[in-house]
Amino acid sequence: MRINQQEPKQVLNKIYGKVKLEPEQIQDFKASLGRLLELCDSKKDEEFNKNLLIDFFKQTFYGNRYFINTKDKSDLVIHNDKGVESSVGVIFETKKPTKTDNSEMPKVDNLNTKAFQQLVLYFLRERIIHQNVAVKHLIVTNIHEWFIFDAQIFETLFAQDKGLVKQFKDFEAKRLSGTKTDFFYKQIAEPAIAAVIDQIKFTHFDLRNLDNLDLVDLYKLLSPQHLLKLPFVNDSNSLNKPFYNELLYIIGLTEVKEKGKKLIGRVKEGDRRDGSLIENAMSRLDSLGKLSRLTNPEEFGEKEEERLFNVALRLSINWINRILFLKLLEAQLIKYHQGNRDFAFLNVQKVKSYDDLDCLFFDVLAKETDKRDVRVKEMFGNVPYLNSSLFEPTETEQETIFISNLQERCLPIFGATVLKDSQGKRRSGELNALAYLFEFLDAYRFDRDELENPQEDSEKLINASVLGLIFEKINGYKDGSFYTPSFITMYMCRETIRRAVVQKFNEVKGWNCQNIRDLKEDLSKYIMEFKDRTTGRNEASEIFNSLKICDPAVGSGHFLVSALNEMISIKQYLGILQDKNGEDLSQYEIEVVEDKLKITRNGKLFGYNPKNKESQRVQETLFHEKQTIIESCLFGVDINPNSVTICRLRLWIELLKNAYYKSPQPPLESGTSVGELETLPNIDINIKCGNSLISRFGLDVDVTQVLKKHNFNIEQYRNAVQTYRNAVSKEQKREMESLIAKIKNGFSVYLGDYTPDKKKLLKLQQELAEKEHPLLFESETDKKAREKKIAKLHNEIDKLEAKIADIESGKFYENALEWRFEFPEVLNDDGDFVGFDIVIGNPPYIVIIKSKHGQEIINYFNNNYVTSEYNPNTYALFTELALGKIAKSQGYISFIIPNTWLNGQYFTKLRSFISMFNNLEMINLKDIAFDVIVETMISIVEKSNSVSRITFKEYLGNIAVLNQL
């Protein structure tokens, strides 16, 4: 007989296997195991020992989050939720511990004993009678020995054995000669097990050998993450709680749970520290009377205290954005120069005050090196010029204060700080706030991730995904935030972009590829036809780069970053990723792993070394490919200005990862010029701030006349945008900003006469003009009818004019996003709106209620969205916006939205709307995606009228399974 015993490391999910545990967790776990072994008693009955197991699981892992008890005749079960009615996830067969071998317990070389036979019976009852498909694991234990089985094995070998199931049903219905359970064990279960014994895999361990067991693996094996197959993401991409909590403290914020949502707010009055960024900023804003300078104070709230906080929050986010970006830059420079700490610049030796930090922002990063003054060159000689809008004063700063206005203050050290003293104990006392911030950031690693060293302490690794998650939570401080986990953005981007790429090449080349593999084959043959393969790859790359992707509720930009990585990976897979000289990168493997690009050659991870020509070639290629895709393909909109700032930052960070020296092989000596890094383009123009759901102008409005009137064409508009992105100076950038504003204003002024209301008004006015002329030989009856109609027309015109005047003088359209002309990249040469190839994202889930949002906005949605009914939900409106408006014909949308629309009472119109299109795939995620109780689903739809059978998938297991669906 073959023994299929597996070690814990073999059965643990690889991602979960890399998750680092706190030493305290392992110490507590070992103590709990010790108490369990000490209290278990072979002289006591099974019930006594079973209760010890229940206490052990509740105290160690499960608490009150999961119901643990007996069920029917099963010895012990763990439910998938805290309710007794929730499905069973783990089934136990327990035996009391004995000093001698128990014949009923399985053996490593003989599983087919009574305990295992009992387990088969319990499983069949749960699976066949109760129709429970959510059983995850089954366990036999006597507290000392443990045998753990994956329920998928029981499903395959037992639940799908038609003969066994028939015998089980007959036994349960008492149709067989024996009715006692021993009859089932001996006559039915034992032979069924014997027939498949070689296929049964299991994990075994004995707690009496505790000192020889790996406690970390054992902890994970018994945790709900494994036994209940809970969703989890790579630790380096998930929220780093210690970093998050201390950063919030330094900013002056705290997280509270309210009505099931985790909200961010100002620290309670008694706990506020005047050294925190927000309190310092609020104090200065108040004392300098800066709120009176705001152009639009209502944007920040109704009351002065609310405005003070919101202005300070926006300023603090901008400042922290820059500092974190600089921390990543600093880490990159040190890494590029083999750990040379002379390239560190975020410390109190170089940045002694907020004035110095202001200087770093605007006199260093925003100025070419040859234009910096002598003092700045001495202080920051190793810091490159980046030409990024991130280091230009924001409108809010220009109207209020800069970071240099903050006062130098001290801040008490956070109680759970990461900072340690010389004895390795937590620091206490207080520090200068700026020095505290720098020391805090220095305690973490910004220069690498777990792809480089899987064994490194991931608790100390901070990457862009973690920063994006943190700021998504901060930005959503009023309503709670919904940061989409990486495994979901990866899946949605992969499935949607690959379809769209195939569709794009079929459309342009007239091919008939069915999938990405077909496209790879056809493309390879096509490129081979060119005498100069570079020309073929260039042509294919241009087609690829014409893809347009939009996230209309972009948040922190997570979807766009995932899309960027996926597109680079697809380009490499298709064989069209090449350097500036036309040489491809075929010798490299590029794949998306854990939401990051993993680049290897012969199994070795790629890292940039400016002194190596091949490394320089690859780094340059990746930078410019990313730049091209970001500029040409990725677009986003968000109503929250802070989110727009974060999204732009995330995209800049992705470019920063592949920043390179324009002059290779720079000298490494301290204090000398190291050459210039390639500057960052002004990609901020691709990410707009506005309300995606509201527009004054329809997408079908004719713009021919406005083009003629202002004597420009769409190509000039596109060129102005592209010139802005790569402006070589601030003067050129300002010039392009002015030209773009002039063009958009021309559209706005001209099209203002062509809104639906104005069209209706013009029609009524024309009808009135006709009615005011009496008919020839008009009778008295006709005259009265005509006068009655004139009075009615006057009344309708007066009402409509009042409505138009109210709208134009009011603020309803103040944040409107004009899809009709905001993105020239999705207009054809005639100025017609063509649309995006892909609309993707996680739109907000907000119920629009009259008492909270006003009747005007409900009227707008009712008049402009066919899916609007009762109190409309924004996710329904976003779905219609994507499918019905901004996606191109044959384009794709991929949203993660609540599954309530499937059968909700007030989603009949949405169901009818979605049914008109080609629904390709729907995956019911239930409540695994977010840390709040909201059941969601992934929906991938093609904007075509060909309706196909929907592929509906139920996602029950570990998240790694999602990528295998």
Side-chain angles (χ1 to χ4, degrees):
M1 184 192 76
R2 185 174 65 188
I3 298 175
N4 289 315
Q5 182 179 356
Q6 297 175 299
E7 295 299 320
K9 285 185 186 298
Q10 294 175 277
V11 298
L12 290 172
N13 180 280
K14 289 181 181 179
I15 298 174
Y16 187 37
K18 291 194 295 184
V19 172
K20 303 295 181 182
L21 299 179
E22 293 288 345
E24 292 83 0
Q25 290 176 282
I26 300 304
Q27 291 170 7
D28 292 345
F29 177 60
K30 186 175 183 180
S32 296
L33 284 173
R35 283 194 299 273
L36 176 64
L37 292 171
E38 182 183 346
L39 292 172
C40 71
D41 191 343
S42 61
K43 296 178 182 178
K44 303 284 186 180
D45 60 14
E46 282 187 17
E47 198 67 26
F48 173 84
N49 290 287
K50 188 191 306 177
N51 287 329
L52 293 179
L53 279 174
I54 293 174
D55 290 342
F56 166 74
F57 276 106
K58 284 185 175 181
Q59 293 168 10
T60 309
F61 302 105
Y62 295 80
N64 294 319
R65 294 174 298 156
Y66 303 94
F67 187 70
I68 305 177
N69 212 315
T70 59
K71 182 185 179 185
D72 300 332
K73 296 181 181 180
S74 297
D75 282 352
L76 179 65
V77 296
I78 300 177
H79 289 251
N80 285 305
D81 207 336
K82 60 185 176 182
V84 66
E85 300 301 324
S86 63
S87 60
V88 168
V90 183
I91 301 173
F92 287 79
E93 169 58 26
T94 62
K95 300 294 180 183
K96 70 177 184 178
T98 57
K99 294 182 179 178
T100 58
D101 284 346
N102 186 334
S103 61
E104 294 187 357
M105 278 291 291
K107 306 291 185 293
V108 170
D109 58 355
N110 180 25
L111 294 177
N112 202 350
T113 61
K114 184 176 179 179
F116 188 75
Q117 294 156 10
Q118 289 172 304
L119 210 56
V120 171
L121 178 60
Y122 300 156
F123 175 75
L124 290 175
R125 282 174 174 165
E126 194 65 38
R127 179 69 180 84
I128 306 303
I129 295 176
H130 298 297
Q131 296 291 300
N132 180 10
V133 296
V135 178
K136 308 301 194 318
H137 280 97
L138 299 100
I139 298 174
V140 178
T141 183
N142 63 359
I143 295 183
H144 291 152
E145 279 196 276
W146 294 68
F147 290 82
I148 303 178
F149 307 88
D150 193 307
Q152 291 179 0
I153 295 170
F154 276 59
E155 176 71 23
T156 302
L157 301 181
F158 303 126
Q160 294 181 18
D161 182 338
K162 293 181 181 178
L164 174 61
V165 170
K166 183 179 185 305
Q167 285 184 302
F168 164 75
K169 288 180 177 178
D170 288 342
F171 171 76
E172 289 291 295
K174 301 187 183 303
R175 290 194 289 263
L176 301 180
S177 58
T179 57
K180 293 185 178 180
T181 53
D182 280 340
F183 174 83
F184 179 87
Y185 302 147
K186 284 294 180 184
Q187 303 303 320
I188 300 174
E190 186 173 349
I193 294 167
V196 296
I197 194 75
D198 288 346
Q199 301 176 54
I200 301 175
K201 296 179 180 179
F202 63 95
T203 303
H204 170 263
F205 57 87
D206 192 326
L207 292 180
R208 288 171 293 194
N209 300 320
L210 190 59
D211 291 339
N212 297 322
L213 296 176
D214 186 321
L215 289 181
V216 172
D217 286 345
L218 198 59
Y219 179 98
K220 293 176 181 178
L221 194 71
L222 298 178
S223 70
Q225 281 74 17
H226 177 72
L227 289 186
L228 293 178
K229 296 185 178 180
L230 296 181
F232 55 83
V233 294
N234 183 339
D235 193 49
S236 72
N237 288 340
S238 58
L239 184 65
N240 186 311
K241 287 290 286 184
F243 181 85
Y244 171 63
N245 290 333
E246 193 159 3
L247 182 65
L248 282 186
Y249 172 80
I250 292 169
I251 295 173
L253 299 171
T254 187
E255 183 178 82
V256 295
K257 196 164 186 178
E258 187 177 302
K259 296 180 181 178
K261 293 181 179 179
K262 291 181 179 179
L263 306 180
I264 305 295
R266 188 181 178 189
V267 174
K268 291 181 181 179
E269 189 169 354
D271 298 327
R272 291 170 189 164
R273 301 287 183 262
D274 62 5
S276 69
L277 271 180
I278 279 184
E279 297 303 326
N280 201 337
M282 289 179 71
S283 170
R284 300 301 287 154
L285 286 166
D286 186 37
S287 60
L288 297 174
K290 290 294 185 177
L291 290 189
S292 61
R293 304 284 185 89
L294 291 170
T295 304
N296 185 18
E298 295 82 6
E299 177 187 354
F300 296 95
E302 296 179 3
K303 298 180 180 178
E304 184 168 348
E305 189 73 8
E306 184 183 6
R307 289 175 185 172
L308 268 176
F309 173 75
N310 286 327
V311 171
L313 177 64
R314 183 174 298 182
L315 291 168
S316 298
I317 286 177
N318 278 326
W319 297 334
I320 286 290
N321 273 355
R322 291 171 182 153
I323 292 167
L324 290 173
F325 183 86
L326 290 177
K327 191 64 186 175
L328 290 165
L329 172 64
E330 178 190 69
Q332 200 88 320
L333 294 175
I334 294 170
K335 184 177 175 181
Y336 286 174
H337 296 88
Q338 293 75 51
N340 187 343
R341 294 294 301 179
D342 288 337
F343 289 85
F345 56 85
L346 274 185
N347 50 64
V348 290
Q349 286 71 45
K350 293 192 176 180
V351 182
K352 298 180 175 65
S353 66
Y354 288 118
D355 279 330
D356 288 342
L357 193 54
D358 189 84
C359 171
L360 183 61
F361 289 167
F362 305 120
D363 295 324
V364 180
L365 275 301
K367 275 190 180 181
E368 296 94 324
T369 52
D370 60 347
K371 294 182 180 178
R372 299 174 186 172
D373 63 37
V374 176
R375 174 180 167 271
V376 168
K377 285 181 180 179
E378 289 175 356
M379 287 176 60
F380 303 107
N382 289 339
V383 182
Y385 164 64
L386 291 181
N387 184 41
S388 168
S389 302
L390 183 63
F391 298 103
E392 290 185 2
T394 65
E395 184 178 335
T396 308
E397 283 176 312
Q398 290 173 330
E399 290 183 350
T400 57
I401 62 173
F402 289 84
I403 200 165
S404 57
N405 289 109
L406 297 184
Q407 293 182 332
E408 299 300 326
R409 292 175 176 172
C410 287
L411 184 63
I413 296 174
F414 186 52
T417 185
V418 70
L419 302 185
K420 298 288 194 296
D421 61 20
S422 56
Q423 279 76 44
K425 296 181 180 180
R426 280 201 177 104
R427 292 267 295 275
S428 58
E430 63 178 25
L431 285 170
N432 171 277
L434 189 59
Y436 182 6
L437 175 59
F438 290 157
E439 284 195 44
F440 163 70
L441 294 178
D442 261 345
Y444 291 87
R445 299 296 302 271
F446 289 79
D447 62 342
R448 65 184 63 196
D449 60 43
E450 75 295 335
L451 295 181
E452 295 182 56
N453 183 1
Q455 304 307 315
E456 188 162 0
D457 184 4
S458 58
E459 279 295 307
K460 294 295 177 67
L461 300 176
I462 301 296
N463 60 35
S465 296
V466 174
L467 297 181
L469 192 162
I470 287 170
F471 281 105
E472 186 94 10
K473 290 172 74 69
I474 294 174
N475 286 349
Y477 74 97
K478 287 184 178 178
D479 302 306
S481 64
F482 297 91
Y483 181 84
T484 314
S486 295
F487 76 94
I488 291 177
T489 62
M490 285 170 60
Y491 179 82
M492 291 169 65
C493 287
R494 189 189 73 193
E495 293 303 304
T496 311
I497 294 174
R498 293 185 179 203
R499 284 184 169 102
V501 169
V502 172
Q503 167 69 23
K504 177 68 71 175
F505 276 91
N506 284 346
E507 181 184 295
V508 175
K509 305 300 296 182
W511 295 345
N512 190 32
C513 301
Q514 299 301 306
N515 52 50
I516 199 76
R517 290 182 296 276
D518 291 350
L519 178 59
K520 180 180 174 67
E521 290 178 12
D522 284 11
L523 203 49
S524 179
K525 294 173 186 175
Y526 179 73
I527 291 173
M528 291 288 286
E529 294 174 2
F530 286 82
K531 186 176 181 180
D532 178 8
R533 307 286 161 71
T534 300
T535 304
R537 285 194 292 264
N538 282 338
E539 182 187 303
S541 194
E542 284 181 17
I543 295 171
F544 186 98
N545 295 341
S546 67
L547 204 68
K548 304 291 182 257
I549 301 173
C550 180
D551 184 343
V554 76
S556 70
H558 193 181
F559 275 96
L560 295 188
V561 170
S562 290
L564 172 64
N565 290 334
E566 182 62 33
M567 292 178 81
I568 295 288
S569 176
I570 293 173
K571 268 194 157 183
Q572 173 68 352
Y573 174 78
L574 293 176
I576 58 176
L577 191 66
Q578 61 182 11
D579 64 22
K580 61 186 177 183
N581 298 317
E583 184 181 343
D584 67 27
L585 270 63
S586 58
Q587 64 271 49
Y588 291 87
E589 290 185 13
I590 300 179
E591 57 183 330
V592 180
V593 177
E594 296 159 11
D595 210 22
K596 306 178 193 70
L597 275 184
K598 182 179 181 181
I599 304 156
T600 56
R601 183 178 184 180
N602 299 324
K604 187 177 180 181
L605 201 65
F606 170 78
Y608 176 51
N609 178 357
K611 298 180 76 66
N612 181 285
K613 288 184 179 180
E614 175 61 13
S615 175
Q616 180 78 13
R617 177 181 83 91
V618 175
Q619 188 80 342
E620 284 188 31
T621 303
L622 292 171
F623 180 92
H624 288 294
E625 284 291 343
K626 283 186 173 183
Q627 177 182 352
T628 298
I629 290 172
I630 291 171
E631 291 180 353
S632 305
C633 308
L634 305 181
F635 305 88
V637 179
D638 204 283
I639 196 170
N640 186 336
N642 295 335
S643 293
V644 171
T645 301
I646 300 300
C647 177
R648 291 167 175 171
L649 174 70
R650 288 291 307 277
L651 293 174
W652 273 313
I653 288 172
E654 288 307 308
L655 279 173
L656 180 65
K657 288 179 181 178
N658 294 104
Y660 66 90
Y661 284 103
K662 288 189 272 189
S663 299
Q665 301 183 24
L668 303 178
E669 290 80 10
S670 171
T672 62
S673 173
V674 296
E676 293 185 12
L677 281 181
E678 179 61 57
T679 55
L680 301 178
N682 295 304
I683 54 177
D684 51 302
I685 199 168
N686 283 29
I687 313 301
K688 313 283 186 180
C689 188
N691 188 335
S692 293
L693 295 175
I694 295 178
S695 302
R696 288 186 66 191
F697 313 116
L699 296 178
D700 58 347
V701 174
D702 185 14
V703 297
T704 307
Q705 295 303 315
V706 71
L707 294 176
K708 289 181 179 178
K709 181 178 179 180
H710 291 275
N711 194 29
F712 71 87
N713 56 45
I714 296 300
E715 188 60 28
Q716 289 172 305
Y717 186 10
R718 292 196 199 103
N719 289 339
V721 171
Q722 187 59 29
T723 303
Y724 171 86
R725 290 190 185 109
N726 295 287
V728 295
S729 66
K730 290 183 180 180
E731 292 74 25
Q732 187 182 35
K733 186 176 177 181
R734 298 289 89 81
E735 183 183 344
M736 288 303 104
E737 279 181 330
S738 177
L739 177 58
I740 292 166
K742 182 179 178 181
I743 291 171
K744 292 202 299 189
N745 187 58
F747 279 123
S748 185
V749 171
Y750 177 81
L751 295 181
D753 293 329
Y754 291 88
T755 59
D757 284 334
K758 287 196 174 181
K759 284 183 178 179
K760 184 177 179 181
L761 178 62
L762 182 61
K763 186 177 179 181
L764 290 174
Q765 289 171 335
Q766 290 171 343
E767 189 178 353
L768 177 61
E770 292 172 2
K771 291 295 182 183
E772 285 179 336
H773 295 287
L775 298 170
L776 193 62
F777 309 116
E778 183 179 52
S779 67
E780 191 63 30
T781 302
D782 289 339
K783 181 180 179 182
K784 287 182 179 180
R786 182 172 60 81
E787 289 175 345
K788 185 177 180 181
K789 180 65 175 176
I790 288 172
K792 183 180 178 183
L793 287 169
H794 273 298
N795 186 44
E796 290 180 7
I797 288 171
D798 289 344
K799 286 183 179 178
L800 199 53
E801 285 180 335
K803 179 184 176 184
I804 292 170
D806 184 54
I807 288 174
E808 291 186 344
S809 64
K811 295 181 179 288
F812 184 78
Y813 287 105
E814 186 174 58
N815 295 320
L817 195 284
E818 299 306 337
W819 294 99
R820 180 65 187 87
F821 53 79
E822 191 66 59
F823 296 100
E825 296 86 353
V826 290
L827 304 179
N828 65 18
D829 290 339
D830 295 326
D832 301 321
F833 184 87
V834 176
F836 298 94
D837 297 276
I838 296 172
V839 183
I840 196 166
N842 173 22
Y845 320 150
I846 299 171
V847 179
I848 306 299
I849 304 171
K850 176 184 174 181
S851 59
K852 184 176 180 180
H853 301 94
Q855 184 65 48
E856 188 176 18
I857 194 167
I858 290 180
N859 289 341
Y860 176 86
F861 289 145
N862 288 339
N863 291 333
N864 291 276
Y865 289 84
V866 299
T867 58
S868 179
E869 55 183 316
Y870 187 53
N871 293 325
N873 195 305
T874 53
Y875 83 76
L877 304 177
F878 270 98
T879 302
E880 182 182 343
L881 172 77
L883 262 178
K885 300 184 181 186
I886 64 174
K888 65 178 288 188
S889 177
Q890 307 300 314
Y892 295 87
I893 79 154
S894 183
F895 276 176
I896 175 171
I897 55 177
N899 59 21
T900 47
W901 72 272
L902 292 172
N903 53 18
Q905 180 180 358
Y906 298 110
F907 295 96
T908 55
K909 291 182 179 180
L910 180 61
R911 287 194 289 272
S912 176
F913 177 77
I914 291 179
S915 69
M916 296 189 299
F917 300 98
N918 186 11
N919 288 269
L920 298 170
E921 190 172 284
M922 293 184 180
I923 301 176
N924 191 10
L925 297 172
K926 294 194 172 181
D927 60 355
I928 71 160
F930 306 107
D931 59 357
V932 293
I933 304 303
V934 53
E935 293 202 353
T936 56
M937 63 182 296
I938 294 171
S939 181
I940 301 176
V941 185
E942 182 185 18
K943 187 176 179 178
S944 72
N945 296 325
S946 59
V947 180
S948 65
R949 183 180 177 186
I950 301 173
T951 302
F952 193 92
K953 301 172 183 177
E954 188 86 3
Y955 174 60
L956 295 170
N958 192 284
I959 59 170
V961 178
L962 185 59
N963 289 320
Q964 301 167 8
L965 289 175

